[in-house]
Amino acid sequence: MSLMPSRPRVVATDLDGTLLRSDGSLSSRTREAIVAAEAAGVPTLFVTARPPRWLDELADAVGGHGVAICGNGAFVYDLVRRKVTASRGHDPHVMAQVVADLREALPGVTFAVERADGMGREDVYAYPVEHSAVTVVGELTAPMSPPVGKLLARSPGIDPDEFLRVVEEVVGTRVELGFSGAIGLAEMTAAGVTKASGLAAWCEEQGIEAADVWACGDMPNDLPMLEWAGRAHAVANAHADVLAVADVVIASNDDDGVAQLLESLL
């Protein structure tokens, strides 16, 4: 990674397990640190695996820029207008073949999709009812409109680690397989779509170089972003693979590690 200035132009941070505490809350200290850093000229950008509909509850904390990069880089979401302003979705024909190949390799596998207009899922897809209603789509077929930002797969009854191993083997390089910590869930974006690509595109629009970005994360799906940014921060509770690439290890999410980092910039 390149040499860093003493202060970044933006701090890009994952949410769950990184900025948010283990109970999913945003602490008062973190909220105040985001506001103070923004006022001092260092905005905090949320870069998350969460779909757009899971972000509205954090709309008052995003700062003056008002956007978040979500769906592992698939969507740019304007939290002020509650509108997806940019998306990079799956090629429908590639996705259809991936779905077919996974059905053949994993009998009983079930699917859901994240789109700009919300979630669609097969009626047998296991999904906890939360955040917003979802649309049951019956058996998943492709192409789908609007474009699919994330393809989700579960296979109840199979060991979660074995499930992800088989998925990785089957999909190859046709999609990006991200792991954000959800056990037994395969999260797939289009080839080349990662937190890093989403963050890089946003920074280019703002005239911000990678060297001027500090990134914070905790799980393997954060690795592309951490490797792209000028300085990589892992919270103390991070996955071993994340700790291994971090330039700096900060306090855990429950100890407001990102807030402490932001406070150090003031």
Side-chain angles (χ1 to χ4, degrees):
M1 294 185 182
S2 56
L3 292 175
M4 277 294 302
S6 59
R7 182 172 169 175
R9 290 186 61 190
V10 66
V11 173
T13 180
D14 171 56
L15 291 178
D16 297 282
T18 302
L19 187 74
L20 305 181
R21 289 185 170 175
S22 296
D23 63 1
S25 66
L26 183 68
S27 72
S28 297
R29 179 179 184 179
T30 298
R31 191 180 296 273
E32 291 167 3
I34 290 172
V35 172
E38 176 97 23
V42 183
T44 301
L45 181 68
F46 297 164
V47 187
T48 177
R50 288 187 177 206
R53 70 180 190 283
W54 283 25
L55 292 172
D56 290 341
E57 63 199 53
L58 298 171
D60 64 335
V62 294
H65 55 79
V67 302
I69 296 167
C70 54
N72 277 340
F75 304 111
V76 177
Y77 186 55
D78 185 323
L79 283 95
V80 177
R81 293 185 291 161
R82 299 195 175 188
K83 179 181 179 181
V84 172
T85 58
S87 61
R88 293 184 297 161
H90 285 273
D91 179 297
H93 303 292
V94 173
M95 190 181 79
Q97 190 59 58
V98 166
V99 168
D101 291 348
L102 287 173
R103 288 198 196 281
E104 181 177 355
L106 294 161
V109 67
T110 63
F111 295 96
V113 293
E114 294 287 1
R115 303 171 299 203
D117 64 345
M119 182 190 210
R121 66 176 179 87
E122 296 181 327
D123 53 6
V124 291
Y125 180 86
Y127 178 75
V129 179
E130 55 185 342
H131 292 89
S132 67
V134 299
T135 302
V136 177
V137 296
E139 183 170 312
L140 187 69
T141 58
M144 296 188 70
S145 182
V148 172
K150 270 209 303 186
L151 172 66
L152 308 174
R154 292 186 184 273
S155 189
I158 184 173
D159 176 77
D161 292 335
E162 174 66 8
F163 170 63
L164 290 175
R165 185 196 68 76
V166 173
V167 171
E168 183 175 21
E169 182 179 285
V170 170
V171 302
T173 59
R174 292 179 292 174
V175 298
E176 299 288 342
L177 179 62
F179 179 59
S180 61
I183 304 301
L185 176 65
E187 302 176 69
M188 293 165 276
T189 51
V193 176
T194 65
K195 287 189 175 185
S197 65
L199 175 60
W202 183 85
C203 286
E204 183 177 3
E205 291 175 356
Q206 309 303 314
I208 299 173
E209 302 286 341
D212 293 319
V213 179
W214 290 6
C216 305
D218 75 311
M219 293 302 292
N221 66 318
D222 294 316
L223 289 170
M225 173 177 71
L226 295 171
E227 292 166 349
W228 176 84
R231 193 160 111 176
H233 300 78
V235 284
N237 54 288
H239 189 283
D241 291 350
V242 174
L243 292 169
V245 305
D247 298 310
V248 181
V249 176
I250 59 178
S252 74
N253 63 325
D254 287 328
D255 290 325
D256 296 327
V258 177
Q260 293 183 42
L261 175 66
L262 295 173
E263 290 164 356
S264 74
L265 302 174
L266 303 179

